[in-house]
């Protein structure tokens, strides 16, 4: 029961990241496809399509960066780490986590300082092209002194900055705790682990008889 309760925050972050990434990718694909059809079939253009995909891509990058920490998908160099003893390696990895936390914390502070005015004193700032279609009356009463938005207020797409960096900071904290408690060894994917996974995949393909039939070894076997 205690383990399940401790995993609830992590499960919530997982859900936010996965649902967010899937939703953003789907919307980007839909908007881009619709704009291509409009341009090449109807000789028209969706005015707000480009700006929408730019903002969606920003959300995708920030959510993906957070999820990448969780699944060890970020690129890194582990040459020195593989040469040092395990105790020193753990200390170096924890130092890397601390530096990443410092970096993400500074980014989060800057992101909050940048975003907060758009949600308060500059709430009347709008984007260039995206029309405001989600609850215009409610948004106007809450943020714009009753005046309806014609375009989407900037604090909505700009919220990707604080939200994404909060998630990134939490992921670094989670990774640091897992490394400190021995449930995880590296902050990045180990090249050794990747090589072992590749060899295991090749072995499975060989057992299933699905290796490339055009390889030299396959051609020699066929000639025999």
């Amino acid at each position: 029961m205690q383990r399940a309760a401790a995993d609830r925050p992590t499960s919530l972050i997982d859900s936010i990241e996965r649902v967010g990434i899937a939703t953003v990718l789907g919307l980007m694909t839909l908007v881009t496809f619709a704009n291509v059809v409009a341009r090449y079939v109807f000789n028209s253009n969706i005015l707000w399509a480009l700006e929408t995909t730019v903002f969606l891509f920003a959300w995708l990058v920030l959510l993906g960066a957070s999820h990448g920490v969780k699944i060890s998908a970020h690129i890194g160099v582990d040459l020195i780490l593989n040469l040092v003893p395990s105790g020193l390696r753990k200390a170096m990895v924890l130092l890397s986590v601390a530096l990443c936390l410092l970096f993400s914390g500074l980014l989060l502070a800057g992101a909050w300082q940048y975003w907060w005015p758009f949600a308060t004193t500059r709430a009347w700032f709008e984007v260039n092209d995206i029309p405001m279609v989600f609850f215009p009356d409610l948004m106007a009463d809450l943020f714009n002194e009753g005046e309806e938005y014609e375009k989407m207020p900037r604090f909505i797409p700009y919220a990707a900055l604080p939200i994404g960096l909060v998630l990134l900071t939490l992921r670094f904290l989670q990774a640091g705790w897992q490394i400190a408690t021995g449930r995880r060894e590296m902050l990045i994917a180990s090249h050794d682990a990747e090589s072992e996974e590749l060899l295991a995949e090749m072995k499975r393909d060989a057992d299933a008889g699905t290796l490339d039939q055009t390889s030299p070894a396959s051609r020699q076997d066929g000639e025999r």
Side-chain angles (χ1 to χ4, degrees), residues 15 21 44 48 58 61 75 78 82-83 90 100 112 130 142-143 158 169 172 178 202 206 208 210 224:
S15 299
I21 290 171
S44 181
W48 45 267
V61 168
I75 298 175
D78 59 354
N82 291 331
L83 297 177
K90 184 174 183 179
C100 289
W112 180 263
I130 306 174
L142 290 177
F143 299 101
Y158 288 6
T169 303
F172 280 132
Q178 291 174 343
M202 292 178 63
T210 58
R224 293 173 185 172

Side-chain angles (χ1 to χ4, degrees), residues 98-125:
L99 293 174
C100 289
L101 276 171
L102 176 62
F103 178 71
S104 65
L106 291 173
L107 286 178
L108 176 58
W112 180 263
Q113 292 175 2
Y114 180 77
W115 174 80
W116 182 246
F118 287 104
T120 53
T121 58
R122 302 179 187 174
W124 51 272
F125 269 79

Side-chain angles (χ1 to χ4, degrees), residues 9-154:
T10 301
S11 299
L12 177 61
I13 297 175
D14 287 343
S15 299
I16 292 173
E17 291 172 348
R18 291 174 181 176
V19 172
I21 290 171
T23 301
V24 168
L25 277 174
L27 289 174
M28 288 180 66
T29 304
L30 181 63
V31 171
T32 303
F33 177 76
N35 197 33
V36 170
V37 172
R39 179 171 297 178
Y40 291 100
V41 176
F42 299 101
N43 196 26
S44 181
N45 183 40
I46 300 177
L47 181 63
W48 45 267
L50 177 60
E51 188 177 37
T52 300
T53 54
V54 169
F55 284 135
L56 288 174
F57 187 72
W59 279 87
L60 179 65
V61 168
L62 291 167
L63 292 174
S66 171
H67 194 63
V69 175
K70 191 254 183 181
I71 62 175
S72 300
H74 287 286
I75 298 175
V77 179
D78 59 354
L79 176 62
I80 297 177
L81 293 175
N82 291 331
L83 297 177
V84 299
S86 59
L88 180 58
R89 182 189 304 123
K90 184 174 183 179
M92 294 175 67
V93 173
L94 287 174
L95 176 61
S96 299
V97 174
L99 293 174
C100 289
L101 276 171
L102 176 62
F103 178 71
S104 65
L106 291 173
L107 286 178
L108 176 58
W112 180 263
Q113 292 175 2
Y114 180 77
W115 174 80
W116 182 246
F118 287 104
T120 53
T121 58
R122 302 179 187 174
W124 51 272
F125 269 79
E126 299 175 343
V127 300
N128 295 325
D129 300 317
I130 306 174
M132 184 60 190
V133 294
F134 300 106
F135 310 108
D137 295 335
L138 177 61
M139 299 293 290
D141 293 337
L142 290 177
F143 299 101
N144 203 28
E145 300 179 353
E147 185 176 351
E148 288 191 8
Y149 291 102
E150 294 182 3
K151 305 293 177 60
M152 180 180 291
R154 292 193 181 190

Side-chain angles (χ1 to χ4, degrees), residues 160-216:
L161 290 169
I163 292 174
L165 290 168
V166 164
L167 293 175
L168 182 64
T169 303
L170 291 175
R171 283 303 191 191
F172 280 132
L173 286 171
Q174 179 190 26
W177 174 253
Q178 291 174 343
I179 293 169
T181 55
R183 289 186 292 168
R184 181 172 174 175
E185 293 185 359
M186 302 284 284
L187 187 60
I188 60 173
S190 172
H191 292 164
D192 292 339
E194 292 177 355
S195 299
E196 292 175 1
E197 183 179 353
L198 179 60
L199 289 173
E201 183 178 355
M202 292 178 63
K203 185 177 185 302
R204 289 194 299 269
D205 291 341
D207 293 339
T210 58
L211 282 177
D212 186 3
Q213 299 299 319
T214 62
S215 64

